[in-house]
């Protein structure tokens, strides 16, 4: 059955169905996922890394990771696009950290007598982690249609019109989903801030 799947059949499949084919080592299914999400992943990587070259490397890493780890995707727990975008964010952050570490090592090698300076403020880092967790939890509470629109807008850096085109939905529907999703996120995050006080 896998070998008989045509390109047109693949385009019609849901993301989780494509990932199931990737798990069976069906390369055209990975190509279909790339066609669907490659540009968005590149945009996410570029925004995080600030480097076109690094962003291109991240895209390659993401699709290699999808190829190797498709079996770990759990359809009942997360939406496939969220899982894919999560991989992209993690890979881009890892690439940025790795770049900083290499730069820091070069700087230290140039001047071994320089005093050691802590690379970051632990309190600020903890705050960021808590905020990130709160945002992820709040996003998980959104209805799937709203979450998808918000992810494509903020992580994918797509315009409302591009989101409507990507999802095959009317522009007005996308605008409504974004407005409702952002309002709910604001309320959920406000509740998080109040709990933290």
């Amino acid at each position: 059955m896998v070998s008989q799947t045509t390109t047109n059949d693949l385009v019609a499949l849901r993301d989780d169905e494509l990932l199931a084919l990737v798990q069976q080592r069906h390369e055209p299914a990975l190509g279909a996922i790339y066609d669907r999400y490659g540009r968005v992943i590149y945009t996410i990587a570029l925004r995080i890394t600030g480097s076109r070259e690094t962003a291109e490397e991240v895209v390659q890493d993401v699709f290699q990771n999808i190829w190797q780890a498709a079996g770990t995707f759990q359809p009942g727990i997360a939406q496939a696009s969220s899982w894919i975008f999560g991989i992209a964010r993690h890979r881009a952050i890892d690439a940025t950290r790795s770049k900083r570490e290499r730069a820091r090592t070069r700087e230290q090698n140039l001047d071994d007598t320089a005093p050691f300076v802590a690379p970051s403020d632990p309190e600020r880092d903890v705050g960021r982690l808590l905020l990130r967790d709160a945002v992820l939890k709040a996003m998980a509470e959104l209805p799937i249609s709203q979450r998808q629109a918000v992810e494509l807008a903020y992580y994918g850096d797509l315009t409302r019109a591009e989101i409507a085109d990507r999802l095959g939905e009317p522009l007005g529907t996308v605008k409504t989903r974004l407005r409702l999703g952002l309002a709910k996120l604001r309320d959920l995050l406000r509740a998080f801030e109040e709990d933290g006080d």
Side-chain angles (χ1 to χ4, degrees):
M1 178 182 158
V2 171
S3 60
Q4 297 172 353
T5 308
T6 67
T7 303
N8 288 338
D9 293 335
L10 292 173
V11 170
L13 293 178
R14 295 187 323 261
D15 294 339
D16 59 325
E17 294 170 325
L18 288 172
L19 285 171
L21 289 173
V22 170
Q23 186 179 0
Q24 298 172 36
R25 296 298 184 236
H26 186 56
E27 289 184 25
L30 184 66
I33 294 172
Y34 180 87
D35 291 343
R36 201 171 282 179
Y37 291 110
R39 182 171 164 243
V40 177
I41 290 170
Y42 175 80
T43 303
I44 291 169
L46 183 60
R47 286 183 72 185
I48 293 172
T49 65
S51 160
R52 291 181 188 277
E53 183 180 327
T54 305
E56 288 170 4
E57 291 171 9
V58 167
V59 171
Q60 290 177 5
D61 288 347
V62 168
F63 283 96
Q64 181 178 7
N65 191 269
I66 291 170
W67 180 254
Q68 293 172 342
T72 65
F73 171 67
Q74 298 175 342
I77 298 197
Q79 192 174 11
S81 59
S82 300
W83 183 75
I84 292 168
F85 294 153
I87 293 171
R89 284 190 300 275
H90 291 297
R91 292 291 180 192
I93 290 167
D94 288 347
T96 303
R97 285 182 184 150
S98 176
K99 232 164 102 173
R100 285 184 189 148
E101 278 303 313
R102 286 194 302 269
R104 192 175 294 124
T105 300
R106 281 195 300 270
E107 288 172 9
Q108 287 177 350
N109 287 343
L110 288 175
D111 185 10
D112 288 334
T113 61
F116 174 76
V117 177
S120 64
D121 175 7
E123 236 177 84
R124 187 182 67 212
D125 290 347
V126 168
R128 284 181 181 167
L129 286 174
L130 290 173
L131 178 60
R132 186 195 72 188
D133 289 345
V135 169
L136 290 174
K137 285 177 186 171
M139 288 287 287
E141 290 189 35
L142 292 179
I144 290 173
S145 60
Q146 292 174 14
R147 182 172 63 224
Q148 190 174 34
V150 171
E151 285 174 342
L152 289 171
Y154 289 91
Y155 297 124
D157 201 27
L158 298 180
T159 65
R160 292 174 187 160
E162 289 171 331
I163 295 168
D165 185 50
R166 170 70 56 89
L167 298 177
E169 298 280 357
L171 181 59
T173 301
V174 168
K175 288 180 179 179
T176 300
R177 287 178 184 171
L178 279 170
R179 187 178 69 251
L180 293 173
L182 291 172
K184 185 165 184 179
L185 275 176
R186 184 177 54 243
D187 292 342
L188 290 167
L189 291 171
R190 187 175 296 133
F192 167 75
E193 284 180 2
E194 290 167 2
D195 289 345
D197 289 343

